[in-house]
Structure formats: structure tokens, C-alpha cells
Amino acid sequence: MTSIGIGLCGLGTVGQGVCEHLFGNRALLQQRLGLDLAVVAAAVRDVAKPRRLPADATTVRITGEWRDVVDDPRVRVVVELIGGLDDAFDLILAALKAGKTVVTGNKALLAERGAEIFAESERQGVPVFFEASTAGGIPIIKAVREAFVVNHFLSFHGIVNGTSNYILSRMTDAGLEFADALAEAQREGYAEADPTLDVNGWDAAHKAIILASLAYGSWLRPADLSVAGIDLVSADDIRFARQLGWRVKLLASIRARDAGVSASVWPTLIPAGHVLASVNGVFNAIMVRGDVVGDALFYGRGAGGSPTASAVISDLADAATALVSGGVPRCSGFRPHALYGRALPPGELESRHYLRLAVDDVPGVLGQVAGALGANGIGISSALQPEEHDSGDRAQLILMLDRAKESQMQRAVAELEALPCVRGTAKLLRVESFGS
Ligand code: NAP
Ligand code: HSE
């Protein structure tokens, strides 16, 4: 049987998962693919660190230098699972220049430098696979690239960061504090080594950039997105949203309109009865709307060693099959085109909003707040002042607002925070009811 040599760079949460399942299900893979996926070399930062590797993996050469893996003549597919930006970029470029197929799960790198990586892939005629970069074990990249190839994508709505969904779920259902829920997510291997990007929305934004770029044919820049994270959300917001019939989720939204493509990630109130409201824990879900297929929904584990390994190994199977058949696969990588025009500036994005203000509990306050919103063209669709949250001379005012552009909202919030009757900073979340 033909054997394809695999070089694994990184033996952390995902790399160890890949190793475990490549060895554990080797016979199954051989039967299904008619070839053998053989890990022959691996690179780590610290070779002395104890690791959980399968017994059969003793044949794998482990080195402290990723260049050894790229240069190893037995290696035909290089898997980049070291994370980070600079070394990972150098590694991928070195592999492509050496004519070795690349598999990566590095969403931060693809979001920042995807255009350069795919340009090099095109120049070298060597494919880059990246299923594990978006939504863990859910095969969304393959679906967008292959299964839905005939569709114009009208929208994507997704919960694509397992860590923040885990934290929001634990805060909602178990009443946990933010810090305790984050510590749990770290123990489970869902959070990044530095969880800042998980909680400030940027990990989800990186995935939104990859999906939007793939769907709309031009690589979005981070500055094209409007991004906020769950570090904005308090237990009070979760409670108020529940009282009003909503759930709070970190929602990535991508849309194509006549004016261009828009992408954003925001903590968002969604109807409690909507299917995405029941996506809890580390699970991810993505709702795709195409002009031919209509609505399609994907659900699965969005993080962790095994689900992500499942995505990496699916790429390895495609890469190895293409190598054996002697061709570049039909749909690998990213091919730029200009069918959808520019990315809309974030200030142009429109949505409904939830606004929470701490205000002086005196007559006339609601009028002043409504006046500032009205002066910016923003209507109020409902207002709530929960009496149990009145404290002495202070009250909480919760307003559900009509649709407005982000630039309008920013102006209105600045004016509201300058009013003498408004205390502290305003809390602004988005509201999505999933109309057309
Ligand atoms: P991790 O647990 O931190 O593992 C990183 C691995 O890379 C470690 O084995 C580390 O070596 C090695 N490494 C780091 N820098 C290196 C260098 N310069 N040269 C050689 N080896 C190096 O990370 P992870 O969670 O597995 O994530 C890996 C990648 O997959 C990241 O891009 C991440 O964003 C992405 N991803 C992760 C998940 C997830 O659920 N964790 C899901 C999807 C995608 P040592 O072990 O010696 O420190
Ligand atoms: N930290 C990421 C998450 C890993 O929690 O979703 C998967 O990309």
C-alpha cells in the first residue's frame, strides 16, 4: 500500500489529538483511502516535555526544530499546529517552497496573512488545507468550498468560539462567575494558550474573516470587521435578556448586500426559541443561507483535541489522495475573484440594539435619554426599569432600540454618557431576530 509521510509541527492539544487518532484509526483510514497516512516526524518547542502519545508513535522522529520536519525527505505533507504568527508563517512558506502540501488550523495567521499564504500556494502550485481553522470538528470549509459551490451566499450566522459559548452557557445555566467559567474552559483545552482573543471576540472574528473571504472571494482585513467580545457581558445582562425572552450569544454575522460584504462579531441577544439559542457549552453552530440551497445548519464541537483532529485528518486524507492521484485537488486553498465588491465599513453596519444605562432615579430621565437617541435618528421599541435593581437614587434602564447604523449608535452613546443623569458607561449589545 502507498504510504504518505506526514510531518506534524506541534504536539499540543490538537497535535496530540491528530497523533492519537491517526495511529488509533490507522486500519480504518487504510481501508477507506487505500493508502497509509504515516506520521514520520514531529516538531515541538521542548523535546523533554512529557506527552500523551500512542505506543506506536515511538517510530516518529521528534525534534525541537520545525525546519527538520520541513526538510525531511520522507515528509510530503506538513501539518502546522504550532499556532502564533511569525514562526507559523515562516514554516508554511518554507513548506510550500519545498513543494510540500500544507495543512493548518491556524485561524489567527490565515486571518492576518491569508492573502500572502494563498498567493504563494498559487505560485508554487501546492495546496493549503485549513478545515480545522473554523468551527473545530464541523466541516464548514469543505461545505462552503465544495458542497455549496453553486450558491451565492446570502448570509452566515454562527457561534464559532467554543470558549466564549462555554463561558456564556455556564454563566446562564449554572450562575458561574466569568473567571470560574473561563478556568473550566482552559482546563478542557478549549481556550487558546492566551485566552484574550477568545473573550474579546477576535478568535471568532478570525474565523469570520476566513469564512467571508472564502465565500466572497476577496480576503477581508481585520479593520473591515466590527468586533466586540463577551468581556462586555455581565450576569445582569444575561438575566435581563432572559426576562425579555432572549439569550445572549457571541454571534458572527456575515452578509452580502448590493453595497458589499459585511462581517461582524458581537455579543447578541437572539430569540430564546431560535435554534442557535439552544447551542450550548463548547458546541458551535453555523446557519448558512445560499440562493440555491436555502438554509442549512451545521452543529458540532468547535474546539478541543479530538474534534479538531477530526478536521485535520480530513484535510490529510484529501491532501494524500491528491498526491497519490498526481494532481492538485479541484477545490484546495482560496481563489480570489471580484464578484461581490468591497467590504462595507463597520460604521455602515445596521442592526437593532439592547442598551443598558445606570441613571438617576428622578422624573424626566427617560425623556432626556429618548431625546438623545431621537436626535441621532434612533427609535425605542421597548423600555424596562426592573424595580428590584433600583438602589436608592439610582435605577437601571434597559432599552430595546430600532435598527440603526453602528456610526449612529456610537454618536448616540457618546451623547448619552455625557448626560448628567447617566452614570458610568452605557452597555450596548446587538439584537438579531434572523429576518431576511
Ligand atoms: P498548543 O496546545 O499550545 O500546542 C502548540 C504546540 O506547538 C506545542 O506542542 C508546542 O511545543 C509547539 N510549538 C510552539 N511553537 C513552536 C515552534 N516555534 N517550533 C516547534 N514547535 C512549536 O496549541 P493547540 O491548542 O494545539 O493549537 C494549535 C493550533 O491549532 C493553533 O493555531 C490553534 O489556534 C489551532 N486550533 C486549536 C483548537 C483547539 O481547540 N485547541 C481548535 C482549532 C484550531 P511544546 O509542546 O514543546 O510547548
Ligand atoms: N479557542 C478556540 C475556541 C479553539 O474556543 O473556539 C477553536 O478554534
Side-chain angles (χ1 to χ4, degrees):
M1 181 177 289
T2 306
S3 180
I4 298 291
I6 312 289
L8 270 184
C9 296
L11 285 175
T13 303
V14 183
Q16 288 185 68
V18 170
C19 219
E20 176 189 345
H21 299 296
L22 273 179
F23 281 101
N25 286 4
R26 192 170 191 166
L28 174 72
L29 287 164
Q30 287 173 350
Q31 289 304 314
R32 289 207 172 129
L33 303 175
L35 50 83
D36 182 40
L37 301 176
V39 183
V40 292
V44 292
R45 206 169 12 205
D46 174 6
V47 286
K49 199 191 260 186
R51 298 174 198 277
R52 203 174 34 84
L53 293 176
D56 298 351
T58 46
T59 53
V60 178
R61 169 194 180 206
I62 299 187
T63 160
E65 175 50 66
W66 59 259
R67 284 175 205 280
D68 294 342
V69 172
V70 173
D71 292 343
D72 189 324
R74 297 169 302 164
V75 169
R76 297 183 69 190
V77 184
V78 173
V79 186
E80 183 279 303
L81 293 171
I82 68 174
L85 298 181
D86 295 340
D87 281 354
F89 181 78
D90 293 346
L91 189 169
I92 289 175
L93 272 259
L96 291 174
K97 285 178 178 154
K100 302 194 176 185
T101 302
V102 170
V103 173
T104 179
N106 195 330
K107 58 259 159 146
L109 177 62
L110 291 180
E112 297 280 344
R113 305 190 70 177
E116 292 167 77
I117 289 172
F118 291 112
E120 188 63 31
S121 155
E122 195 73 22
R123 258 194 301 279
Q124 301 294 340
V126 178
V128 176
F129 293 88
F130 51 102
E131 185 62 67
S133 65
T134 303
I138 301 175
I140 188 68
I141 299 295
K142 208 171 181 123
V144 169
R145 206 166 52 188
E146 298 180 25
F148 295 150
V149 69
V150 71
N151 286 266
H152 283 286
F153 294 103
L154 307 177
S155 63
F156 296 83
H157 286 104
I159 293 170
V160 292
N161 181 265
T163 301
S164 48
N165 202 43
Y166 186 89
I167 292 171
L168 287 176
S169 304
R170 297 290 285 153
M171 287 172 74
T172 306
D173 300 335
L176 246 57
E177 291 300 329
F178 177 89
D180 295 331
L182 172 60
E184 275 189 13
Q186 285 177 305
R187 275 198 299 279
E188 297 293 333
Y190 307 146
E192 300 298 310
D194 172 1
T196 310
L197 301 182
D198 289 312
V199 297
N200 70 9
W202 274 99
D203 178 79
H206 291 151
K207 294 163 183 168
I209 289 175
I210 293 168
L211 265 185
S213 304
L214 190 60
Y216 299 117
S218 75
W219 210 262
L220 267 68
R221 298 160 309 149
D224 294 328
L225 275 75
S226 168
V227 179
I230 63 163
D231 43 6
L232 273 188
V233 180
S234 70
D236 280 348
D237 295 315
I238 290 176
R239 231 182 350 263
F240 292 142
R242 270 184 102 110
Q243 282 174 20
L244 294 164
W246 304 86
R247 294 287 180 275
V248 182
K249 293 288 179 190
L250 186 71
L251 193 71
S253 305
I254 304 168
R255 285 195 179 90
R257 302 194 178 142
D258 292 343
V261 173
S262 70
S264 65
V265 171
W266 264 75
T268 304
L269 273 61
I270 65 176
H274 191 271
V275 64
L276 290 181
S278 59
V279 176
N280 288 315
V282 70
F283 281 89
N284 282 193
I286 302 174
M287 241 176 50
V288 182
R289 183 166 293 171
D291 66 339
V292 180
V293 72
D295 284 347
L297 180 69
F298 294 79
Y299 172 83
R301 286 181 189 275
S306 289
T308 312
S310 171
V312 171
I313 295 171
S314 137
D315 279 350
L316 282 172
D318 283 350
T321 308
L323 284 170
V324 168
S325 65
V328 173
R330 175 177 62 90
C331 282
S332 75
F334 161 79
R335 221 170 253 157
H337 59 77
L339 280 179
Y340 295 93
R342 67 190 181 117
L344 282 178
E348 292 294 300
L349 302 195
E350 257 190 37
S351 102
R352 293 180 62 209
H353 291 89
Y354 156 107
L355 179 68
R356 178 160 67 86
L357 298 167
V359 293
D360 291 341
D361 195 7
V362 292
V365 165
L366 188 53
Q368 292 180 52
V369 168
L373 289 165
N376 285 285
I378 302 166
I380 298 174
S381 54
S382 66
L384 176 74
Q385 184 185 328
E387 283 182 29
E388 68 275 20
H389 284 271
D390 288 358
S391 57
D393 57 355
R394 195 76 54 83
Q396 296 285 329
L397 196 55
I398 290 133
L399 303 172
M400 301 298 279
L401 305 178
D402 294 340
R403 288 184 80 78
K405 287 189 175 168
E406 190 165 311
S407 52
Q408 271 173 289
M409 280 311 311
Q410 280 168 359
R411 272 196 305 275
V413 164
E415 286 173 29
L416 285 167
E417 287 175 345
L419 288 176
C421 63
V422 172
R423 305 292 168 156
T425 53
K427 180 65 69 73
L428 190 68
L429 307 178
R430 286 200 176 165
V431 177
E432 176 63 68
S433 357
F434 302 102
S436 58

